[in-house]
Amino acid sequence: MNQVCVLGLGYIGLPTALMLAACGNRVTGVDIDANLLAQLRQGNVTFEEDGLQELYAKAIHNISFESIVPQAPMYIVAVPTPYNKTTKKIDVKYVLSAIDNVLDVCDDGAIIVIESTVSPGTTDKFIRPFIQNHVRGGNVHLVHAPERIIPGKMIKELRENSRTIGADSTEVAEAVRDMYMTFCVGDIVLTSIRTAEMTKVVENTYRDINIAFANELAKICRQDNMDVYEIIKISNMHPRVDILQPGPGVGGHCISVDPWFLVGDYPSLSLLIHEARKINDSMPGFVLQRIQDIKKENSLPQDATVGFYGITYKEDVDDTRESPTMQLYDQMQLHLGGGNAVFFDPMCQGKVLDGQVESFEEFLEKSDLVVIMVGHGHIRENVEKLGSKIVLDTRNICALPGCYKL
Ligand code: SAJ
């Protein structure tokens, strides 16, 4: 039985730890958050994800949740890697602190797998020098095996997606591959650490640029009243065209962050990437402009109440990080000119915004104009309740007559 310690039990670490345990590995899940550990020990998973609670039930006999890092032959680091919003450079403090805790206890020859997304070159620039200065005798092997799972389909993608394992030697790469093969049926590619770092960032940047193209098309089509959704649908019938969907912006902690690593490190070489980021970041402002136009067209008073449906970064997840609605909220005072706003999100735990209401009925009652920011299953099922409202649908989920689109 493999023994593995997973450090960081967040959006990636928790499903990974549970999957490993459910597939016969002996797992210790470590986190610094005492509340999170208490919740997990009581049998509750800590965020909404299809199939996660069921996976927990299958895993529980092989996993313990601890605050202290144990001795183990293999460690997986899945802690956050934020970036500095001004310099666009990565902040590796959580990764280094996790590694520091491992170095306190690990044996000679232990393997440390970094799953957190890092900017290309982070291992050489920050992690290796850190280990050289902090190692307490013996040797550790570094591996970069970036995660690829998408919130909403995490469990399926953990099993089925192909993976990249970057290591310094084939022997170490194969040991890590064998561990992932206990649950992953996708292809597992072995490569260098530097290539693994770069491919992860490239994958998310590709998606960001594709979405930016869709968003730019939406703006062009709005200018001359063309239907961007129909145009994308028809274009995508070409066998070599695959355009994503426009929307109110790009959120989450991956696609809206990772391209900045390339812009931050290669500013004069990443012009397309930078422009795509700017286009996606302009979308919340574009939505606010659409609201102004629609208010005028319908002779709504300046202080009419705009109801924003959806606060999370995408449909059917509870994660609000960098979400388009949060971005829009920050710009709202400038654009809404003192108008009123209410917010509602059935997936959102607790109050995260001023003006947030708790019931859909109250939200509808207060809103003169409803803006669909997120296409949760809930609104798809209740779309007819918007029948008497003026609606701006930024996700193209509503077929009500007269409904405005991006
Ligand atoms: N979005 C659009 N139009 C689209 C698709 C998405 O506007 O056609 C928006 C979403 O609404 C959301 C944002 O983009 O605000 C990002 O959502 P997403 O579903 O595209 O991606 P994430 O951030 O949930 O997950 C991505 C995935 N990466 C790729 O598909 C290349 C996932 O596989 C990665 O594991 C994840 O980033 C990560 O952790 O890096």
Side-chain angles (χ1 to χ4, degrees), residues 12 117 147-151 157 161 200 203-204 207 211 215 244-255 258 313-315 324 395:
I12 300 302
T117 304
E147 59 82 16
R148 274 178 167 166
I149 53 179
I150 197 151
E157 292 209 350
N161 282 5
K200 166 68 196 204
E203 289 158 12
N204 279 353
R207 195 160 168 87
I211 297 168
N215 282 332
L244 289 169
Q245 294 299 303
V250 169
H253 204 62
C254 310
I255 304 234
D258 298 355
Y313 84 95
K314 66 175 189 178
E315 67 284 358
R395 297 286 187 173

Side-chain angles (χ1 to χ4, degrees), residues 331-382:
Q331 301 168 29
M332 201 170 63
Q333 295 314 328
L334 276 177
H335 286 74
L336 275 190
N340 299 313
V342 289
F343 297 86
F344 173 70
D345 193 318
M347 295 294 295
C348 201
Q349 317 280 335
K351 195 169 167 187
V352 292
L353 292 178
D354 283 343
Q356 188 176 338
V357 297
E358 283 189 8
S359 86
F360 188 47
E361 285 65 34
E362 183 184 356
F363 170 77
L364 288 180
E365 200 180 301
K366 288 191 166 154
S367 304
D368 299 310
L369 161 63
V370 171
V371 182
I372 301 174
M373 294 290 286
V374 186
H376 290 312
H378 167 267
I379 190 71
R380 290 172 193 262
E381 283 155 25
N382 287 287

